[in-house]
Amino acid sequence: MEQIELNVETRTTKGSGPVSRMRRNGIIPAVIYGEGKTPQSVQLAEKDFDRVVRHHEASSAIYHIQVLEGGKKQHDLTALLKDTQYDPVSDRVSHLDFMHISMDKEISIKVPLVLKGTAIGLKKEGSTLEHMMRELEVICLPKDIPARIDVDVTHVDTHVSIHVRDLPLGAGVRTKMDPDATIVALVFANREVEAAAAEGAPAPELEVTKEKPKEPAEAAAPAAGAKPAAAAAKPEAKK
């Protein structure tokens, strides 16, 4: 599990106006919570966090955070990055949430599922590989958190899918997810193509037929067994 050193400063700035000015000056507001402690408001330089994102898998890393006040160390702690908020216009980071953790207690965390290889079933006409689950929630000690879980899809074919029970979780890692939940499966454009692929036969050509338009005389003829139309009414008898 990747571990990152990060320095933050205590923050007293409150309110949307002052916080917006902080962001314009390259400062990201953040909060640290968890382990039964009172949430603490902190801040850090945007350039420092950008460096972390560029060189590390920041979303699943363990952070060793030094909390400073006036440049002097106040205390340190271990945390996970639980949420990153972005400005909808500039797409810059606008807020960070860190969760304080203990290294000797199991935690629940979502880990990305990364597909590897090319499915053999993709050679069949009309087939598509559908990635149904992109993250898996695992339970383990912080030191055992996998940065990601690689999923080998080379053997995926018609009627051959990958489920949660097939994933290589590693020692000390478990999940409460349904073992029968599908991670990756091969799907086809329509059922006839899928049936043909299952049998190893070429996809059938669908014949489209149109109903022959009725001739005028044919359309006017009465249906079989129908009674003839009633005779026209007789002219009124002369008085």
Side-chain angles (χ1 to χ4, degrees), residues 24-186:
R24 287 196 295 271
N25 292 328
I27 303 297
I28 303 175
V31 64
I32 303 173
Y33 62 89
E35 283 293 294
K37 298 182 179 180
T38 303
Q40 183 175 14
S41 297
V42 296
Q43 64 189 44
L44 65 155
E46 185 177 13
K47 61 180 179 61
D48 291 342
F49 187 71
D50 286 345
R51 172 181 49 80
V52 168
V53 172
R54 284 196 305 271
H55 299 289
H56 304 276
E57 296 190 51
S59 60
S60 57
I62 293 177
Y63 287 81
H64 293 292
I65 298 178
Q66 289 197 72
V67 180
L68 309 176
E69 186 171 5
K72 295 183 179 180
K73 180 179 175 181
Q74 188 182 61
H75 63 274
D76 56 11
L77 53 90
T78 306
L80 294 173
L81 179 60
K82 292 297 289 183
D83 187 47
T84 305
Q85 299 174 27
Y86 295 88
D87 184 276
V89 177
S90 65
D91 203 35
R92 292 168 61 184
V93 176
S94 61
H95 194 275
L96 298 169
D97 286 7
F98 291 97
M99 185 180 74
H100 189 190
I101 61 172
S102 173
M103 293 299 289
D104 58 1
K105 292 182 181 179
E106 285 190 330
I107 61 171
S108 177
I109 186 172
K110 290 183 178 179
V111 176
L113 299 174
V114 181
L115 305 188
K116 296 292 183 180
T118 302
I120 189 172
L122 289 177
K123 297 179 181 178
K124 296 174 181 175
E125 184 179 357
S127 62
T128 304
L129 195 66
E130 187 167 349
H131 194 176
M132 300 177 180
M133 189 183 298
R134 298 182 179 273
E135 291 181 321
L136 182 73
E137 188 168 357
V138 301
I139 301 170
C140 60
L141 291 173
K143 69 179 182 63
D144 295 325
I145 299 173
R148 65 186 189 186
I149 298 174
D150 291 335
V151 184
D152 181 7
V153 301
T154 54
H155 64 287
V156 174
D157 202 345
T158 309
H159 306 312
V160 180
S161 303
I162 298 177
H163 303 86
V164 169
R165 62 176 177 269
D166 303 319
L167 296 176
L169 296 184
V173 182
R174 57 191 173 89
T175 181
K176 290 184 178 180
M177 299 291 292
D178 180 2
D180 294 325
T182 302
I183 306 294
V184 180
L186 201 68

Side-chain angles (χ1 to χ4, degrees), residues 206-224:
L206 301 181
E207 182 181 355
V208 179
T209 58
K210 294 184 179 179
E211 184 180 358
K212 181 182 178 182
K214 295 180 179 180
E215 297 292 338
E218 183 183 351

